[in-house]
Amino acid sequence: MFFSTPEARDDYARIVLQSVRPIDKIRKLGEELAQRMRRRVGGRMWMSAHMRRGDFIREGWVMEQSIGDHLLRIKLHLANGSQVLHGIQERRQVILFGVPDVEPDQTQLTLQPPEDGDLFFLATDERFANNMIWLRQNKAVLISDLLTPQDHQKFGWPLMITDVLALLEQVVISHSYYFYAHAMSSLAGGAVNMRAAKGKDYRTSWID
């Protein structure tokens, strides 16, 4: 995309990053779920990924055909992500996305980095029960694992809609300290925009 001036470019970035965002109700619940996720890893930095299955399998766009290979691919990238987070802490330097009016998230320098074997948050449209059980057995935490009956009661029936859950997953991902996803899914782009607005280091988002 080309702009007439740097000012016009920055104005467009402000609209995308600061004005186009989920409603307060979704952002508030997402922030609470992110805190619950952090508690699951002992207060350390935690990582996230998006596993698109569903229609991507049917259309031949899925990253890996089998769910086992797909999860292995994700875990390899998260292992690289852990090294990135350790490196940021060692160098004491956060490098932002090239966007206006954003301050670095200083918790990237103060929280302990991930440890081997930590749980990670996985946004996914996988719905086969056995596959979801298997993902959990392999350290994945799904959105349904973080939501409580009280959340459903307070938020109401919209949480039954998968598109609303996807927005909620994006908010949770925006708080994670490393994110890996597939470039062909729009969920990834929205999550990266949110991360940029929150002052995450640009090296902590990897779109494959």
Side-chain angles (χ1 to χ4, degrees):
M1 185 178 290
F2 294 94
F3 298 91
S4 57
T5 64
E7 291 77 18
R9 176 202 61 204
D10 289 350
D11 286 343
Y12 178 80
R14 291 185 183 96
I15 292 171
V16 172
L17 298 179
Q18 299 169 18
S19 298
V20 180
R21 58 183 186 176
I23 61 174
D24 291 346
K25 193 173 183 180
I26 289 177
R27 287 190 289 117
K28 184 177 180 181
L29 178 56
E31 290 167 4
E32 174 59 32
L33 299 186
Q35 290 297 320
R36 293 174 194 171
M37 185 65 210
R38 195 169 113 187
R39 289 196 289 271
R40 287 191 176 219
V41 296
R44 292 183 294 280
M45 296 182 183
W46 52 279
M47 298 184 289
S48 64
H50 179 222
M51 176 188 276
R52 182 71 177 266
R53 303 291 293 170
D55 58 327
F56 271 35
I57 298 176
R58 183 176 65 252
E59 300 298 334
W61 298 342
V62 70
M63 299 292 284
E64 302 289 349
Q65 194 66 31
S66 79
I67 194 168
D69 288 342
H70 202 159
L71 184 61
L72 177 60
R73 186 187 189 112
I74 286 172
K75 284 194 167 186
L76 287 173
H77 280 280
L78 293 184
N80 291 335
S82 181
Q83 293 179 7
V84 169
L85 294 174
H86 278 82
I88 290 171
Q89 289 227 332
E90 290 169 3
R91 296 176 182 84
R92 310 299 298 170
Q93 183 184 30
V94 174
I95 304 176
L96 298 176
F97 291 82
V99 295
D101 307 333
V102 173
E103 295 295 326
D105 175 1
Q106 294 298 325
T107 62
Q108 295 170 107
L109 301 177
T110 58
L111 293 181
Q112 291 296 312
E115 295 182 358
D116 292 342
D118 274 356
L119 299 170
F120 64 95
F121 178 72
L122 183 65
T124 183
D125 59 348
E126 178 61 61
R127 294 294 180 266
F128 287 107
N130 287 343
N131 285 348
M132 294 172 72
I133 291 170
W134 184 81
L135 290 171
R136 292 183 176 104
Q137 291 172 341
N138 284 273
K139 304 293 185 179
V141 176
L142 310 181
I143 191 74
S144 56
D145 300 325
L146 297 174
L147 287 165
T148 66
Q150 291 76 20
D151 294 329
H152 283 275
Q153 184 176 25
K154 185 176 180 180
F155 196 97
W157 62 264
L159 277 184
M160 299 172 62
I161 301 173
T162 55
D163 284 351
V164 174
L165 280 177
L167 286 172
L168 191 58
E169 287 174 323
Q170 284 182 318
V171 175
V172 175
I173 288 167
S174 74
H175 289 275
S176 69
Y177 288 86
Y178 189 87
F179 173 54
Y180 166 71
H182 186 3
M184 292 182 70
S185 175
S186 60
L187 185 146
V192 171
N193 284 342
M194 292 182 190
R195 294 174 62 77
K198 289 185 179 300
K200 299 297 186 183
D201 190 301
Y202 85 93
R203 296 167 292 181
T204 65
S205 298
W206 186 266
I207 306 302
D208 198 356

